[in-house]
Amino acid sequence: MDIPFATIEKITKYLRCLKRIRNKKIKFVSSQTLAEHTNVTAEQVRKDLAYFGKFGRTGTGYNIEKLAKKLEKILNPKLNWNVCIIGAGALGHALTNYPDFKKAGFNIIALFDGDPKKIGNKIGTAKIYDVKKFSAIIEKKEIEIAIIATPENAKEEIEQIIAKSKIKGIINFTPLTLDIKSKRKIPIIDVDLSQKMYILSYLITKGKRRQ
Amino acid sequence: MDIPFATIEKITKYLRCLKRIRNKKIKFVSSQTLAEHTNVTAEQVRKDLAYFGKFGRTGTGYNIEKLAKKLEKILNPKLNWNVCIIGAGALGHALTNYPDFKKAGFNIIALFDGDPKKIGNKIGTAKIYDVKKFSAIIEKKEIEIAIIATPENAKEEIEQIIAKSKIKGIINFTPLTLDIKSKRKIPIIDVDLSQKMYILSYLITKGKRRQ
DNA sequence: CTTTGTGAAAATGTTCACAGCC
DNA sequence: GGCTGTGAACATTTTCACAAAG
């Protein structure tokens, strides 16, 4: 059976919520509670979870520990990924130190930049490498995910480098549509921060609430 | 007429694309071209734009300049917003220096933090203030949008401060669901970076492409 | 020949309503 | 009483197909 994409998006939220409450004494959580903490309806929670089997207990709710393990397995069966960041600027810095990535099993182990002054430096335990050595280092360090956090004008160069490499997936903080998709069919997730601002601006002006 | 939310999300992409090609010699752009640069279909582009009137020219396409102005007006009728960031850590720093916010009319003019060592410092032209003075400074500087970039544990305090303030909209980088929504009905947009990683991980493992 | 605008159809996603279980 | 699981109804969004226009 095929899992709807909307479901995948929502179960990341449920997992987040479960992880947060898991070390407490409570063993079970209801769809209602899960819904309140994730801004969805209780029916949606139940529908989404039903795709993976029946592990709710009528009148009691869901076993937090069990459910968390199940969802983690669906979302991140590999449990540990080596990740690199292209662009050692302010954003690259902040993302390297972002504590939640490690918690979720995504380890940032290398950065890449073109600036000779930065190359060789370290951010925490991650070293900054010359972007020209991208392919070689990716393979040596078994890095599969790249986060692009470069200025817009670096687009062409970055695309070429990635197209030739063995990277399997991309998070793109650049406001540009990457063409890599057509050349090598790998998943790309765009994070467009200005878009979020525009949408917020629209919602404020129109007096709406939906995000 | 009510504009579908999916349309609002997509026109931010079209606007981005238009802005990028606007200073070139080309005067017109087709729905096909716009679609290719934004990862949607040409039909979607036409449908979305049709909500705001007919400004396409059959056989020619859309006037880039005119369309950009129209979309900008829909998404950001105010054109200029004063924005603050709560949390002057690495992420707050990076966001303050994020060049695209200013380009889109979102000016980050203040940061807030609880750390006495940071209070009084400046990041670019933005000053770091004591988070206790939030409400007063928001009003004085006419700040309407807040970006939350604090660690998870600051949740309670931040929620109380915002609930009492005159902030009109929030971008939340915290992986927590804010309860402000139920108290003061203001729009909140969640940006959950770990979620993006989970989804990418899922897409890579399942060999899918959709983002 | 190219490209828009748009009804109609299809697909996807959400809410309702309730039977069944503890 | 409290809660899950799920068909059916509803709502939203995308795709198809094509007439009309430059």
Side-chain angles (χ1 to χ4, degrees), chain B residues 54-188:
Chain B
K54 305 183 189 185
F55 24 45
R57 219 199 274 173
T58 323
T60 319
Y62 301 88
N63 181 310
I64 295 172
E65 198 55 46
K66 259 176 148 176
L67 186 56
K69 281 210 178 106
K70 181 91 180 177
L71 298 187
E72 183 100 54
K73 208 166 184 176
I74 293 159
L75 287 171
N76 190 5
K78 207 166 160 286
L79 283 172
N80 256 291
W81 296 84
N82 289 335
V83 180
C84 71
I85 297 179
I86 308 178
L91 187 57
H93 242 86
L95 294 173
T96 308
N97 292 322
Y98 194 66
D100 289 22
F101 286 158
K102 193 162 217 158
K103 279 188 211 161
F106 301 95
N107 306 304
I108 291 156
I109 59 170
L111 286 98
F112 293 93
D113 207 291
D115 183 350
K117 279 175 225 146
K118 289 179 185 169
I119 295 164
N121 290 352
K122 276 192 159 186
I123 299 176
T125 55
K127 207 170 158 185
I128 303 174
Y129 296 94
D130 187 341
V131 72
K132 291 196 183 75
K133 293 181 187 157
F134 188 75
S135 244
I137 289 164
I138 291 307
E139 283 180 53
K140 200 173 112 193
K141 294 191 172 279
E142 299 181 317
I143 292 169
E144 297 176 299
I145 294 174
I147 298 176
I148 305 181
T150 54
E152 289 192 28
N153 53 27
K155 188 195 175 198
E156 300 293 332
E157 191 192 356
I158 301 304
E159 287 204 320
Q160 283 179 18
I161 286 169
I162 290 180
K164 278 184 228 156
S165 78
K166 287 183 178 159
I167 283 295
K168 289 185 181 158
I170 294 170
I171 305 275
N172 172 36
F173 277 87
T174 289
L176 305 171
T177 301
L178 301 177
D179 306 324
I180 303 160
K181 219 178 225 168
S182 49
K183 292 169 202 156
R184 291 183 56 223
K185 306 243 169 168
I186 59 172
I188 299 172

Side-chain angles (χ1 to χ4, degrees), chain A residues 152-198:
Chain A
E152 288 191 30
N153 53 26
K155 188 194 176 198
E156 300 293 330
E157 190 191 355
I158 302 303
E159 287 204 321
Q160 284 179 17
I161 285 169
I162 291 179
K164 279 184 228 154
S165 77
K166 287 184 177 157
I167 283 295
K168 289 184 182 159
I170 294 169
I171 305 274
N172 173 34
F173 277 87
T174 288
L176 305 171
T177 301
L178 301 177
D179 307 322
I180 303 159
K181 219 180 225 168
S182 49
K183 291 170 202 154
R184 292 183 55 223
K185 305 245 168 167
I186 59 172
I188 299 172
I189 289 184
D190 292 311
V191 182
D192 185 340
L193 299 179
S194 303
Q195 179 193 40
K196 305 285 180 192
M197 295 299 269
Y198 272 125

Side-chain angles (χ1 to χ4, degrees), chain B residues 23-38:
Chain B
N23 44 5
K24 309 258 169 84
K25 284 167 218 160
I26 322 141
K27 282 263 174 291
F28 291 87
V29 66
S30 69
S31 59
Q32 185 56 48
T33 309
L34 219 37
E36 275 162 19
H37 286 85
T38 50

Side-chain angles (χ1 to χ4, degrees), chain A residues 2 5 9 12 16 19-20 37 72 75 100 175-177 188 190 192 194-195 198 201 208 211, chain B residues 2 8-9 12 16 19-20 37 72 75 100 175-177 188 190 192 194-195 198 201-202 208 211:
Chain A
D2 215 44
F5 191 72
E9 289 196 297
T12 61
R16 260 294 171 81
K19 279 187 172 180
R20 224 171 61 248
H37 285 85
E72 183 101 54
L75 286 170
D100 289 23
L176 305 171
T177 301
I188 299 172
D190 292 311
D192 185 340
S194 303
Q195 179 193 40
Y198 272 125
S201 147
K208 308 227 167 165
Q211 46 162 286
Chain B
D2 216 42
I8 296 299
E9 289 196 298
T12 60
R16 261 294 171 80
K19 279 186 173 179
R20 222 171 63 247
H37 286 85
E72 183 100 54
L75 287 171
D100 289 22
L176 305 171
T177 301
I188 299 172
D190 293 310
D192 185 339
S194 302
Q195 180 194 41
Y198 272 125
S201 147
Y202 175 83
K208 307 226 170 168
Q211 43 161 288

